[in-house]
Amino acid sequence: MKTISFPESELQSSNVVLGLMRIATLPDDDIRTLYAAARDAGINTFDHADIYGPERHACEKRFGEAVKLSAADRASIVIQSKVGIRQGFFDFSKEHILRTVDESLAALRTDYLDVLLLHRPDTLVEPEEVAAAFDELHTAGKVVNFGVSNHTPGQIELLKTAVNRPLVANQVQLSITHCPMIASGIAANMGGLDQSVDRDNGLLDYSRLHGMTLQAWSPFQKGFFDGVFIGDLDNYAELNSVLDELAAKYEVTPTGIAVAWITRHPAHMQVVLGTTNPGRVAESAAGSDIPLTREEWYRLFRAAGHVVP
Ligand SMILES: NC(=O)c1ccc[n+]([C@@H]2O[C@H](COP(=O)([O-])OP(=O)(O)OC[C@H]3O[C@@H](n4cnc5c(N)ncnc54)[C@H](OP(=O)(O)O)[C@@H]3O)[C@@H](O)[C@H]2O)c1
């Protein structure tokens, strides 16, 4: 398992991460089995958010109740959560950040978060308030590292006018079929080609230039929560054919190759899985460090319908 380092942590974070957004209705035993499958596969990083589940902190609570981490287990894993999305609006106020982190810690039954991300950009953000909240949380030992999610380079730079703590990660939607962040740069400056439109103000290059880890959410979804491309022969026959061929070559499953398409990128990305299926967790973890060749990587990209001009 390849790992990523965060500046304030001694612990290395696995580049395949288990997301817990879909566990609200799972029984305790299934959550424990899912967690164990991840640990067995070398995954040590777990992604949460206050809003996952039918009510606030529901999935965090289910995880805390079911897994009941021992002190030694807690010290060996990276727990990440997010704050900032509320019912119909976004809220990066100091008061909301502080209160939400306390609620997350209680729900997860832990004393600290390894990473806290600001979930979606709040246009009413006051960077000084975020900075004050982050400083207070860090000083109190409640949060070790901080980052963002779904942010553009300009929004990150705005936060940095006041936030002195390093912003270590940006979690964004990314799969072979949904990758404007990568595809626009490949087709830079092509008039008349939609793929050429820069939808995030150069986020990929910015992240590499500033050493910010990109975390890919929905790595198997075709688009925005509209089903997986793996096995979708109606819409992605060519992509599935290439996935199958490379899966055979590297002795993994197509799921492993879909993960490898992201982890192979030299930007040192992490892949945040949403599966609740222990078998798929293991298949995904197998994609952590598959050395896809350049030709294979671009072949998958083209097979997903993108243009290499
Ligand atoms: N920062 C953000 O704004 C943001 C937004 C969304 C999500 N996230 C994070 O990212 C994580 C992953 O997101 P996601 O759940 O949308 O990603 P995903 O892993 O692409 O999708 C997971 C869903 O696809 C199904 N699935 C996966 N592989 C499949 C296959 N081969 N065949 C059939 N079904 C398959 C899973 O079903 P099974 O359970 O049956 O495998 C599950 O319902 C979340 O848990 C959360 O932690 C972050």
Side-chain angles (χ1 to χ4, degrees), residues 19-22 47 52 82 119-120 149-150 171 217-221 225 228 230 255 272-277 280:
L20 285 312
M21 182 180 75
R22 299 177 187 266
D47 183 70
Y52 292 163
K82 312 184 198 77
H119 207 154
R120 275 199 180 271
S149 175
N150 304 304
Q171 191 174 113
W217 60 264
S218 285
F220 308 122
Q221 299 287 316
F225 300 132
V228 296
I230 296 168
T255 299
V272 188
L273 313 173
T275 184
T276 52
N277 177 319
R280 280 197 193 114

Side-chain angles (χ1 to χ4, degrees), residues 173-188 190 193-197 199 219 221-223 229 235-236 238-239 242 261-262 296-309:
Q173 187 183 357
L174 177 64
S175 69
I176 309 178
T177 54
H178 178 96
C179 56
M181 191 179 73
I182 294 173
S184 64
I186 288 174
M190 300 284 290
L193 180 65
D194 185 68
Q195 183 184 313
S196 185
V197 175
R199 298 179 193 281
Q221 299 287 316
K222 290 177 264 194
F229 55 80
N235 298 298
Y236 291 100
E238 191 186 343
L239 174 60
V242 182
W261 186 81
I262 299 169
E296 289 165 348
W297 189 95
Y298 276 100
R299 212 176 136 211
L300 286 161
F301 178 77
R302 283 186 280 111
H306 308 297
V307 174
V308 176

Side-chain angles (χ1 to χ4, degrees), residues 80-99:
Q80 170 170 283
S81 194
K82 312 184 198 77
V83 60
I85 299 184
R86 299 185 70 175
Q87 203 72 44
F89 65 110
F90 300 144
D91 187 350
F92 287 1
S93 65
K94 179 182 175 191
E95 185 269 330
H96 180 67
I97 294 172
L98 293 180
R99 181 167 42 83

